[in-house]
Amino acid sequence: MPQLIPSNRFLSDAGRIEKNSVLRGKLARALLHLETNPAQPGLHIERIVNDPCARSARIDIHCRLRPRVSSVIQCIVPTRNV
């Protein structure tokens, strides 16, 4: 099970939605799914273009969460044979 460690930027952004209880609930649910089952289909995890290690997970139609892979989890980048 992955351990989620919030960055300073995440904490700053989360502070801005403090008054939006609906979005806070959606964020809490997305973080719970990401921590307990990252393969949860409802997260809609997608690769970010031009970065083979970066992914984003859907919170709602307007907001996405961009988890950063820690140094413990290695990213495997496919290489081309020339």
Side-chain angles (χ1 to χ4, degrees):
M1 187 176 324
Q3 180 183 7
L4 301 179
I5 302 169
S7 67
N8 290 336
R9 181 172 180 183
F10 173 82
L11 294 174
S12 170
D13 290 346
R16 285 192 269 155
I17 65 165
E18 187 174 338
K19 294 179 182 171
N20 189 339
S21 62
V22 174
L23 189 54
R24 271 197 343 251
K26 290 177 181 182
L27 177 60
R29 188 172 58 244
L31 290 173
L32 177 67
H33 288 314
L34 189 62
E35 188 172 36
T36 58
N37 182 12
Q40 174 78 22
L43 285 174
H44 299 282
I45 295 179
E46 300 173 358
R47 186 176 75 83
I48 295 176
V49 178
N50 297 330
D51 190 345
C53 295
R55 302 285 187 266
S56 70
R58 180 179 298 165
I59 294 175
D60 69 7
I61 196 165
H62 301 290
C63 297
R64 296 193 68 82
L65 180 66
R66 293 182 313 200
R68 189 175 71 188
V69 178
S70 72
S71 60
V72 176
I73 302 172
Q74 298 296 318
C75 176
I76 300 172
V77 179
T79 57
R80 292 176 36 194
N81 292 334
V82 179

